[in-house]
Amino acid sequence: MANHRFALSVAPFVRMECKFWISDDGWNGSCDQLSITVQAGSFERVKSEMEVALGKYMESLLAEAQPTKIAQAA
C-alpha cells in the first residue's frame, strides 16, 4: 500500500488567563502575560478580538522562529 501525504491545519489549545471588564465606553480585555489589550462594544466581541490577538501573537512567534529563505540559501 502506498503512503499518501497531506497537509492539515491544526489549532492547538493553549490556556491563557485573560481578564475582561466593562467600562463606560464598552468592554475591555487584557492578557497580562503577553501585554495584549483589546476593546469592543460587547463581551462576545471583545472575547473574539482577544482570540484573534492571541492567534496573531502566536503566529508572529512561529514566523520569528523559522529561518528565512535567504539565510537557508546561504
Side-chain angles (χ1 to χ4, degrees), residues 4-10:
H4 299 283
R5 286 186 165 190
F6 62 94
L8 178 65
S9 294
V10 176

Side-chain angles (χ1 to χ4, degrees), residues 17-74:
E17 181 177 313
C18 300
K19 299 174 184 173
F20 298 94
W21 66 97
I22 194 166
S23 64
D24 291 338
D25 54 348
W27 280 88
N28 299 288
S30 70
C31 178
D32 295 338
Q33 293 171 303
L34 304 177
S35 299
I36 295 174
T37 59
V38 294
Q39 185 178 22
S42 69
F43 175 75
E44 292 79 11
R45 185 69 182 160
V46 79
K47 183 177 177 279
S48 175
E49 292 292 328
M50 180 60 74
E51 290 170 349
V52 169
L54 290 171
K56 287 181 180 180
Y57 179 83
M58 297 300 174
E59 287 175 358
S60 71
L61 290 179
L62 291 172
E64 289 175 12
Q66 294 178 355
T68 63
K69 292 184 179 193
I70 295 171
Q72 289 176 347

